[in-house]
Amino acid sequence: MRIDILTLFPQMFQSPFSASIFQRAVDQKLVEVNLHNIRDYTHNKHHVVDDYAYGGGAGMILKPEPIFEAVESIKSEMKEEAAVLPVILLTPQGRLFSQSIAQELSRNKHLVLICGRYEGVDERVREHLATDEISIGDYVLGGGELAAMVVVDAVVRLLPGVLGSEASPLDDSHVSGLLEYPQYTRPPVFRGWSVPEVLLSGNHAQIAKWRREQAILRTLKRRPELLDRADLCVEERQVVDGLKASL
Ligand code: JD8
């Protein structure tokens, strides 16, 4: 997968993208990330990328020209697939990012992410350049960079071969629509707190049953709304509806 990221702060991506799983994916040519400084697509002496808002108001708006030019330079390297290239604007007004959106995006060969700053980008970027708008949550960030990193992290780990044998994205929370079950490692007793016997039993059927129950119970307690669309079998649905009724 190729990911092109437009930003005024390419240095923000250095360390997050140097983390193990990600760096290995780059080294294994499973993903290629290109950082584009929007300022490099300006043609004025002072490389101006922002301007005052028409109609007044505090703060500055990112100008459309360098953003359009940056995306068009990326498209100019492509053939017919440029017409269907996902150009994602990170914005508080975007659709709320989720595991299912991460799975959807991971099926693309190429993504472009636009990271705004200041008060945001000129509306014509949203109207005539972006093909999608994503928000990572209902809180205000200072810009789109951290949101872009979240999207890239969640998408890249879904790419075949990125997560070695040690983990499968299919076991993740939210993939089954349930929160994850409690995890333990050595020592079996820590400060008098013991690991549940079933996990030390070696009885894999019992362990799987216990983990499924724990995932459902934890989801019921912490995120009951997730259970409405979790794929539960009939018996589990009856248990959950019974527990919900008793709450
Ligand atoms: C892009 C500029 C800052 C936002 C005035 C503060 C995403 N989940 C999210 N929260 N915030 C963002 C986000 C914030 C951004 C930009 C994304 C570009 N800002 C603006 C509006 C209020 N300042 C985001 N994805």
Side-chain angles (χ1 to χ4, degrees):
M1 172 184 275
R2 171 176 167 176
I3 304 175
D4 288 274
I5 301 174
L6 278 57
T7 173
L8 288 172
F9 302 105
Q11 67 277 18
M12 284 182 70
F13 294 82
Q14 292 322 328
S15 57
F17 286 177
S18 60
S20 61
I21 286 181
F22 193 87
Q23 199 48 52
R24 194 179 58 202
V26 171
D27 300 344
Q28 293 171 340
K29 302 257 176 292
L30 296 170
V31 64
E32 170 200 329
V33 174
N34 306 310
L35 299 171
H36 303 264
N37 191 325
I38 295 169
R39 216 173 278 286
D40 296 344
Y41 296 84
T42 60
H43 306 296
N44 51 71
K45 193 151 56 38
H46 303 292
H47 300 300
V48 171
V49 293
D50 60 329
D51 204 338
Y52 295 103
Y54 275 118
M60 304 293 275
I61 305 294
L62 281 186
K63 293 167 63 61
E65 301 97 324
I67 298 174
F68 274 75
E69 285 197 30
V71 172
E72 286 156 3
S73 76
I74 294 164
K75 287 183 174 178
S76 64
E77 302 162 27
M78 307 164 69
K79 299 183 186 55
E80 64 287 345
E81 68 271 19
V84 292
L85 173 64
V87 177
I88 301 168
L89 176 64
L90 287 307
T91 167
Q93 292 109 38
R95 57 177 176 148
L96 189 56
F97 190 53
S98 65
Q99 190 65 20
S100 56
I101 293 176
Q103 284 155 348
E104 169 204 316
L105 295 179
S106 70
R107 290 189 278 273
N108 289 281
K109 289 304 294 156
H110 192 173
L111 298 174
V112 173
L113 305 179
I114 300 173
C115 304
R117 273 277 152 181
Y118 310 120
E119 294 314 301
V121 301
D122 182 281
E123 183 66 11
R124 290 163 284 192
V125 170
R126 186 196 314 277
E127 280 176 303
H128 305 294
L129 187 63
T131 62
D132 194 2
E133 297 170 55
I134 288 180
S135 165
I136 62 166
D138 299 338
Y139 38 82
V140 180
L141 302 171
E145 284 78 10
L146 292 174
M149 292 177 211
V150 165
V151 169
V152 168
D153 186 287
V155 168
V156 167
R157 64 191 304 290
L158 296 175
L159 300 177
V162 168
L163 285 188
S165 56
E166 78 268 9
S168 156
L170 299 174
D171 309 346
D172 287 348
S173 278
H174 299 295
V175 170
S176 60
L178 297 174
L179 298 184
E180 221 150 80
Y181 45 78
Q183 300 267 28
Y184 297 83
T185 186
R186 287 180 294 192
V189 182
F190 173 66
R191 297 185 181 178
W193 304 312
S194 304
V195 172
E197 279 306 315
V198 63
L199 296 179
L200 308 175
S201 69
N203 179 328
H204 297 299
Q206 280 303 315
I207 291 169
K209 183 172 176 300
W210 179 87
R211 284 176 166 175
R212 182 73 176 175
E213 287 162 359
Q214 290 297 315
I216 292 170
L217 280 173
R218 178 164 282 191
T219 308
L220 182 61
K221 261 188 256 147
R222 299 174 186 213
R223 300 287 306 281
E225 79 282 359
L226 290 178
L227 286 172
D228 303 340
R229 57 178 192 274
D231 51 6
L232 303 181
C233 69
V234 176
E235 292 75 23
E236 290 168 337
R237 183 62 63 189
Q238 285 161 349
V239 169
V240 162
D241 295 347
L243 287 169
K244 272 187 175 175
S246 66
L247 286 179

